[in-house]
Amino acid sequence: LRWFARALERTDIHEAIVLSLAVAAMATVIAMVLGTLTAAALNRDRFFGKDAFTTMLILPIALPGIVTGIALLSAFRLMEVNPGFWTIVAGHATFCLVIVYNNVVARLRRIPPSWVEASMDLGADGLQTFRYVLLPQIATALLAGGMLAFALSFDEIIVTLFTAGHQQTLPIWFYSE
């Protein structure tokens, strides 16, 4: 127990925990918004290139983390962006988006299209239909996707090594110790 008390006295651990929590929270929020919007758009209709777009969307989670990390690092270097908090968030959001997307699109496929049509026939606009018909149906999928995205983001080390610059999240701190 003494090692735990000594560990809590170190400020570098506190900074790493706060950074990890902030990155995970921000990446989760971004992934939940973009993942839900993407799932709603791709679930709605068939269009040219839908399968290619879906494959491109799933690549960050299907590829090894080192490939995603190197690709993000080279993209940031091309755009002349200095690594820091927002590059870590962007890196984590790329694979968290896939997690939320998969959960939401699976739930949306189970909702009969007639429910949306009935809502519109009864005079609801798109926002009301989403709020009163779709959101209650996808709420648990959003919760599960958000929790999983937060956990994966909090624990990510490979992508973070390439996108962090000089900042240390908790997994990088553990790795360096």
Side-chain angles (χ1 to χ4, degrees):
L1 237 105
R2 283 185 287 180
W3 64 269
F4 186 70
R6 277 185 277 147
L8 289 179
E9 293 172 0
R10 295 179 58 177
T11 59
D12 56 339
I13 295 175
H14 293 279
E15 292 170 2
I17 290 171
V18 168
L19 180 62
S20 290
L21 289 171
V23 165
M26 188 61 69
T28 300
V29 168
I30 291 170
M32 288 182 70
V33 170
L34 292 179
T36 303
L37 291 174
T38 306
L42 291 178
N43 185 57
R44 188 169 179 169
D45 291 317
R46 297 226 25 106
F47 57 88
F48 178 74
K50 179 181 177 180
D51 294 333
F53 188 79
T54 303
T55 302
M56 186 180 69
L57 184 71
I58 294 173
L59 276 178
I61 202 76
L63 292 173
I66 193 163
V67 174
T68 303
I70 291 171
L72 285 167
L73 179 62
S74 65
F76 292 145
R77 292 267 168 93
L78 278 173
M79 294 185 294
E80 297 178 2
V81 175
N82 292 327
F85 176 79
W86 290 108
T87 58
I88 301 170
V89 169
H92 287 211
T94 57
F95 63 84
C96 290
L97 186 142
V98 179
I99 302 301
V100 175
Y101 166 80
N102 282 336
N103 279 320
V104 173
V105 82
R107 187 62 54 90
L108 285 174
R109 287 181 184 152
R110 292 177 34 194
I111 299 173
S114 60
W115 289 9
V116 173
E117 293 169 10
S119 174
M120 296 291 196
D121 288 345
L122 291 171
D125 60 11
L127 188 59
Q128 289 173 324
T129 299
F130 178 76
R131 182 176 175 200
Y132 295 116
V133 177
L134 294 177
L135 189 58
Q137 297 299 316
I138 66 170
T140 54
L142 282 172
L143 179 65
M147 288 172 49
L148 189 55
F150 184 86
L152 287 174
S153 176
F154 188 80
D155 190 44
E156 179 60 38
I157 189 167
I158 302 299
V159 172
T160 311
L161 284 171
F162 289 99
T163 59
H166 297 293
Q167 295 185 334
Q168 277 193 328
T169 59
L170 191 61
I172 292 177
W173 183 87
F174 279 130
Y175 181 72
S176 66
E177 289 294 312

